[in-house]
Amino acid sequence: MRITRRTLLLGAGAGVASVLLASCTPEPAPTPTPTRTREPEPPPGVPAPAASIRSTWTSDPFALGAASFTPVGVLGATRTALARPIDDRLFFAGEATDEDAPGTVRGAISSGTRAAEELMGPGVPGERVAVVGAGLSGATAAALLAARGMQVTVFEARDRVGGRVFSRVDDAWPVPVQLGAWLFGEDDADVLDRLTSGEVGILDLAGELWRTPDGDIDPVDPKPFTAALTAAQAAPEDSSVADALTTAGIDPADPGTAALLAILAARTGADADELSSWFAPPLPTGDPRAAGDSLTPFVEHALDGVQVGLSSPVARVAYDDTGVSVRLGTGEALSFDRVVVTVPLGVLQERSIEFDPPLPFANRGAISALGMGAIETVWLRWDEPFWGSEESIWHAVGGHVMIPTWINLRPATGENVLVGIVGGASAAAFAELDEDAALDAALASLSIYV
Ligand SMILES: Cc1cc2nc3c(=O)[nH]c(=O)nc-3n(C[C@H](O)[C@H](O)[C@H](O)COP(=O)(O)OP(=O)(O)OC[C@H]3O[C@@H](n4cnc5c(N)ncnc54)[C@H](O)[C@@H]3O)c2cc1C
């Protein structure tokens, strides 16, 4: 059943008044920037789009980045330290706590399942449990805990659920605009199963185009790149991905290698000089698949029947032997038996939530050791296509473009929509541009595809 925000809020029980009152807190600047109206100065051959919209996760106060990554010299097991429960009162979920698939939807869902299981160890049905954050990890934990008989209240800072899953449905767009996660690879079969059983249509993004300023080239062979990382993973000490490549005699600045690194940056949010070679995810293989429908009903469905307070940022979590006090941005405090904290790593690093007493060294050490990467996306729509390619995934090789990776939705949907994805320092720089400059940078990045 598709539930609406109204039913979510009406589903609240005693203490609802507090939750609803809290929803009057002022809303910070939203993540997406609106569809622009200015006529840009398009580079020759790239006409002005009919609509455009972009993300700014890097500066979003409730994300402060896109995805966690493992920096050079940091162990993947640091994520287990981040996830470590405290005094059977505080539990942690969120993609950053998942050692197997950090920075992904898969990791977020799996972390929510793990945290709920951990809580049910000491927890007793009927207890009051707070879940901080209504992203996929929080929704997964909340659903499982509610199913096990807990009285669950979810506090979400935004005026919507989903967190870094954010589908915008808008009259200006013939397809839902996915400003967060929407792409899935070969390891995501379980997630795709869940999505399809939640009636989310899946698109096959078939075919790759590799384009230099001088024309099309054969796909860049990833084998030397992958072999360099495999060799680095056998070394006695961790090194950055950039150093691993250099050690193997590969120049990270070579245009083909830089194109592969751009794919890695768009996946991890990190550049080659900061990313651990031991814990770097492999380059994607096979055609990616994508959510073709809005993902919002999928998240809402998970929260069906759970009490959710939207626009309710948590400012402080105090805990002792007897329970947990959760204080909202309004100053209102509510008591619970246990809490699951699912906010993004960037929010923990910014110390937007005060913990009293402070978190143990192990948890704090993990928060400061892990990295929060930058990924941004820009969606552009034209009435008529200016391109002839029938390939779905485009890679720029050379040409110094700001946004090197594009998804052409025309083959899968028939719509003239191109989606740019950029990660690492370029993403952070893109997020800082004003609207006009961002659109100009996006169109300039497309000029080699004309
Ligand atoms: C641009 C982009 C593209 C991506 N692409 C993909 C992809 O294609 N495939 C993929 O698998 N993954 C992708 N990811 C990663 C994926 O989106 C995340 O790993 C996943 O959604 C994280 O879920 P989560 O529940 O851990 O965190 P979130 O979804 O961030 O949920 C945490 C929630 O906590 C809330 N919150 C923050 N502070 C507070 C507070 N003080 N009080 C209360 N609530 C608070 C937030 O608003 C948020 O709703 C992408 C991410 C981005 C940004």
Side-chain angles (χ1 to χ4, degrees), residues 105-350:
V105 161
R106 183 158 50 98
I109 292 174
S110 144
S111 75
T113 306
R114 182 220 3 100
E117 301 280 339
E118 284 171 350
L119 190 150
M120 286 311 301
V124 177
E127 284 183 350
R128 286 165 54 83
V129 175
V131 174
V132 184
L136 273 175
S137 60
T140 303
L144 286 171
L145 291 166
R148 301 281 280 272
M150 298 298 193
Q151 295 181 56
V152 180
T153 304
V154 179
F155 295 102
E156 169 52 54
R158 303 177 196 274
D159 64 357
R160 62 172 182 83
V161 299
R164 282 170 278 168
V165 168
F166 186 16
S167 310
R168 276 182 57 122
V169 177
D170 189 315
D171 286 347
W173 291 87
V175 290
V177 173
Q178 311 283 3
L179 289 165
W182 66 304
L183 300 172
F184 304 98
E186 288 182 334
D187 293 334
D188 291 317
D190 285 352
V191 176
L192 288 166
D193 280 351
R194 279 176 184 248
L195 292 176
T196 40
S197 55
E199 294 178 17
V200 176
I202 301 297
L203 306 174
D204 287 316
L205 301 178
E208 285 187 304
L209 174 71
W210 295 78
R211 174 71 63 91
T212 72
D214 300 324
D216 295 351
I217 58 168
D218 288 338
V220 174
D221 181 4
K223 286 196 204 78
F225 184 102
T226 303
L229 288 192
T230 305
Q233 284 160 6
E237 275 185 24
D238 191 14
S239 61
S240 69
V241 167
D243 285 345
L245 292 170
T246 308
T247 302
I250 300 171
D251 179 2
D254 163 76
T257 306
L260 296 177
L261 288 172
I263 297 170
L264 201 57
R267 156 71 183 78
T268 62
D271 287 318
D273 57 350
E274 51 188 355
L275 193 60
S276 157
S277 62
W278 280 5
F279 299 102
L283 288 171
T285 51
D287 289 334
R289 312 193 70 201
D293 293 319
S294 170
L295 290 161
T296 308
F298 177 75
V299 184
E300 288 179 343
H301 182 69
L303 288 164
D304 196 1
V306 175
Q307 179 173 298
V308 179
L310 297 175
S311 302
S312 302
V314 169
R316 185 169 183 270
V317 174
Y319 57 101
D320 63 18
D321 293 348
T322 59
V324 180
S325 168
V326 172
R327 194 172 77 200
L328 304 180
T330 49
E332 188 184 14
L334 298 100
S335 296
F336 294 90
D337 294 296
R338 304 175 207 281
V339 61
V340 184
V341 176
T342 78
V343 300
L345 177 68
V347 171
L348 293 172
Q349 289 178 330
E350 187 70 9

